[in-house]
Amino acid sequence: MSTVAEDIPLGATLTEEQARQIFSQGEEAVVFVILELAKQLAEQKAASAAGSHETPSTPSGMKPPYTKPPPKSRGKKKPGRKKGHPGARREPPDHVDWQMDHQANRCPDCGGPLNRCNETRTRYTEDIPDIEPEVTEHTIHRDWCPKCKKKVEPTVSEAMPGSTLGNRVLVLSAWLHYALGNTLSQIVEVFNFHLQMKVSEGGLVQMWYRLQAILFAWYEQIQLEALKSAVLHADETSWRVAGKTYWLWCFATRDLTYYLIDRSRGSPALMKFFIQEFDGTLVSDFWGAYNAVVCAFRQKCLAHLFRELEHTEKYKSPGKDWPEFARKLRRLLGDVIRLWRRRDELSAETYASRRRRIHGRLTELIDTPWEDTNAKRLIKRFRRHQDELFTFLDQEGVPFDNNHAERTIRPAVIVRKNSYGNRSEQGADCQAVLMSVFRTLKQRGHDPIRTVTAALTEYLATGKLPPLPTATSDG
């Protein structure tokens, strides 16, 4: 039976008179209209999401801010340590450069005279003095070589050939830009005003290109060491080069990081890094490009599955059997992680038995004929990666998530937000090399500025770059 509410077109053209006609039909007509409007709103939202071509694997930087969920509240926890916790303060300096005595002539409150007491207290302050650049005049002697039949001169190792800026200035500026993410204009202001040294943006960029060429051997060494590692984490995020979308690839272990900026987000970029078969375990998310990598073992990030479940329940319309599917999957993943954490507490027989039981539960979950489209999509993924979900249960040192790569790629994301990428492919190559070197040195417990400065000085003096430093005991 047709009602007035069914005959009136709903949407932006609805008038006040038509709304009053619907209201006059009673409660059922009003409920019908509300449900119909809710359905239209859901369809518009789905069409908008489809038009944006967003997927769960779309990088955060490529999603409009208005489509992102609100940030999680951190509660009302007060900052700082709890009451009763022992205090912490800066350690006293190991040496004193200056000593100053302070004694009041009159009372600061009433202005009256003071009776002197033999009582003092000591306070230390540390500050940066006024900085003036040091200018060194190099007198270079040219002498005749009777064997080579030409005049020769010694190498100046304190600066690059033809450069008026020393090695420390070069390395410090590169570290500020590629490791900390300061923009060119910010670095120029720091040098021009605080350090009292006049530099230009173009001059710094050209010096960084020359530094990249020298440190490229370290960049290649990082790549080779990564390919020989037992466990390698991989991740990627969007990048901008000359206004076009490129991709920043990150390959990381505990003591090295290799960045690669490439136009491709697929296997062509991966083949530039994996120049040989990888004998270790590759830890990654479910991005399909990683399937092209030839490696001994794989571990897919289980944290992405938890996020996928949450994303589906928040932003999609799962079917009637989705709750059962999600409950079984969450319980399976939770039991797997608990078994991994208790591995050292269980006997070999008990652990192997529970491991087989886990495999059986996964097989049962895959073989169940689920009707929900979201469940079918995840089941299809499980069939493809069935042998790559629980590798961490069998391989020592392999985690169940890819958090290490995500934490390692975050500094580069901060750099991207400050600089908006690179203006040319040459700049992108320089970005990848210097970012990789500085990040790796920090991971290995070395002072990046001093280490690169010393290596650059040795290279200018001998023509050979020293080996890439290994990890320190504290690294």
Side-chain angles (χ1 to χ4, degrees):
M1 173 177 164
S2 175
T3 64
V4 174
E6 293 175 336
D7 297 335
I8 294 177
L10 303 178
T13 60
L14 184 68
T15 64
E16 181 179 353
E17 181 181 356
Q18 291 172 332
R20 292 185 180 277
Q21 291 181 13
I22 295 173
F23 183 78
S24 65
Q25 296 298 311
E27 180 180 353
E28 292 185 1
V30 173
V31 171
F32 169 79
V33 170
I34 294 175
L35 292 176
E36 186 66 22
L37 291 175
K39 180 181 178 182
Q40 293 181 10
L41 184 62
E43 291 175 350
Q44 292 175 1
K45 185 177 180 181
S48 175
S52 64
H53 303 289
E54 289 186 10
T55 66
S57 60
T58 301
S60 176
M62 297 185 64
K63 297 180 181 178
Y66 55 82
T67 64
K68 298 180 181 179
K72 295 182 180 179
S73 174
R74 298 189 178 184
K76 298 182 180 180
K77 181 181 178 181
K78 292 181 63 177
R81 296 184 174 181
K82 297 180 180 178
K83 291 183 178 180
H85 194 284
R89 59 177 297 173
R90 187 180 181 87
E91 294 291 334
D94 55 2
H95 70 283
V96 176
D97 299 304
W98 304 94
Q99 198 278 332
M100 300 178 67
D101 289 330
H102 303 269
Q103 195 168 32
N105 295 324
R106 291 183 174 276
C107 176
D109 296 327
C110 68
L114 300 174
N115 295 328
R116 301 302 182 189
C117 305
N118 294 325
E119 181 180 348
T120 63
R121 72 182 182 93
T122 302
R123 175 186 173 188
Y124 297 101
T125 62
E126 295 181 70
D127 204 349
I128 299 176
D130 290 335
I131 298 177
E132 293 185 3
E134 294 182 347
V135 180
T136 303
E137 181 183 32
H138 298 270
T139 302
I140 305 172
H141 294 273
R142 291 181 176 178
D143 297 301
W144 178 261
C145 176
K147 184 177 180 179
C148 298
K149 305 298 182 181
K150 64 179 181 179
K151 287 185 178 181
V152 297
E153 61 182 40
T155 301
V156 178
S157 60
E158 287 74 15
M160 286 194 175
S163 175
T164 59
L165 299 178
N167 294 337
R168 293 188 185 91
V169 172
L170 168 58
V171 177
L172 174 60
S173 63
W175 177 75
L176 289 173
H177 186 63
Y178 295 106
L180 300 188
N182 295 117
T183 63
L184 261 173
S185 59
Q186 291 172 339
I187 296 172
V188 169
E189 289 193 7
V190 168
F191 277 92
N192 287 356
F193 297 108
H194 175 62
L195 301 180
Q196 304 299 315
M197 178 176 288
K198 298 299 180 182
V199 298
S200 65
E201 295 185 5
L204 288 178
V205 171
Q206 293 304 318
M207 291 178 63
W208 294 342
Y209 288 163
R210 298 172 70 183
L211 179 63
Q212 173 218 356
I214 294 174
L215 297 181
F216 190 76
W218 279 6
Y219 184 65
E220 292 180 319
Q221 187 175 344
I222 294 173
Q223 178 185 11
L224 294 177
E225 291 185 14
L227 293 175
K228 294 179 181 178
S229 61
V231 181
L232 182 64
H233 298 256
D235 199 7
E236 79 288 335
T237 186
S238 59
W239 196 264
R240 299 292 285 179
V241 178
K244 299 180 180 179
T245 300
Y246 276 58
W247 297 92
L248 172 74
W249 296 83
C250 174
F251 306 95
T253 68
R254 186 180 62 86
D255 59 356
L256 65 82
T257 297
Y258 184 93
Y259 294 110
L260 171 67
I261 299 177
D262 195 82
R263 189 74 174 87
S264 171
R265 197 192 177 191
S267 57
L270 286 169
M271 293 305 101
K272 292 181 180 179
F273 174 77
F274 290 98
I275 56 178
Q276 63 188 42
E277 182 177 346
F278 181 56
D279 293 332
T281 302
L282 178 64
V283 184
S284 69
D285 54 24
F286 292 92
W287 177 238
Y290 294 109
N291 298 332
V293 179
V294 179
C295 58
F297 304 99
R298 302 176 192 270
Q299 172 61 53
K300 296 302 180 182
C301 179
L302 299 189
H304 278 72
L305 293 178
F306 285 110
R307 298 172 198 164
E308 182 79 14
L309 292 173
E310 182 179 357
H311 180 88
T312 300
E313 292 166 353
K314 277 188 176 181
Y315 303 106
K316 299 184 179 181
S317 302
K320 60 181 180 179
D321 60 350
W322 169 263
E324 181 183 0
F325 170 80
R327 177 180 58 82
K328 287 188 175 183
L329 180 56
R330 280 195 176 97
R331 182 174 297 177
L332 173 61
L333 297 178
D335 291 344
V336 170
I337 296 173
R338 280 188 289 270
L339 175 61
W340 173 69
R341 289 173 176 165
R342 295 188 56 197
R343 181 172 185 172
D344 296 335
E345 305 174 7
L346 304 175
S347 64
E349 294 77 9
T350 303
Y351 183 83
S353 174
R354 296 187 180 181
R355 175 69 177 88
R356 290 191 295 270
R357 197 179 308 165
I358 289 291
H359 179 73
R361 290 170 60 184
L362 176 62
T363 303
E364 179 184 355
L365 185 69
I366 294 176
D367 293 340
T368 302
W370 304 102
E371 297 181 2
D372 180 71
T373 55
N374 297 289
K376 290 180 179 179
R377 174 171 52 83
L378 289 178
I379 290 299
K380 183 179 179 181
R381 181 184 301 178
F382 295 158
R383 286 197 181 99
R384 185 184 304 116
H385 304 287
Q386 186 171 0
D387 298 331
E388 304 168 3
L389 297 176
F390 305 143
T391 305
F392 69 101
L393 293 177
D394 306 319
Q395 300 290 332
E396 289 286 345
V398 177
F400 63 85
D401 55 38
N402 198 27
N403 289 349
H404 179 71
E406 294 179 353
R407 288 192 298 265
T408 305
I409 208 172
R410 180 166 179 76
V413 173
I414 296 175
V415 172
R416 180 190 65 195
K417 290 183 177 181
N418 292 340
S419 63
Y420 304 106
N422 303 105
R423 297 181 181 179
S424 64
E425 290 193 359
Q426 185 181 9
D429 292 339
C430 185
Q431 182 92 35
V433 172
L434 296 185
M435 247 188 346
S436 301
V437 170
F438 285 129
R439 180 69 184 177
T440 298
L441 290 175
K442 182 179 179 181
Q443 287 179 267
R444 298 187 175 189
H446 296 279
D447 182 336
I449 299 177
R450 292 183 178 179
T451 304
V452 175
T453 301
L456 178 59
T457 302
E458 182 175 342
Y459 173 83
L460 294 175
T462 64
K464 295 182 180 180
L465 188 69
L468 179 68
T470 58
T472 63
S473 56
D474 299 331

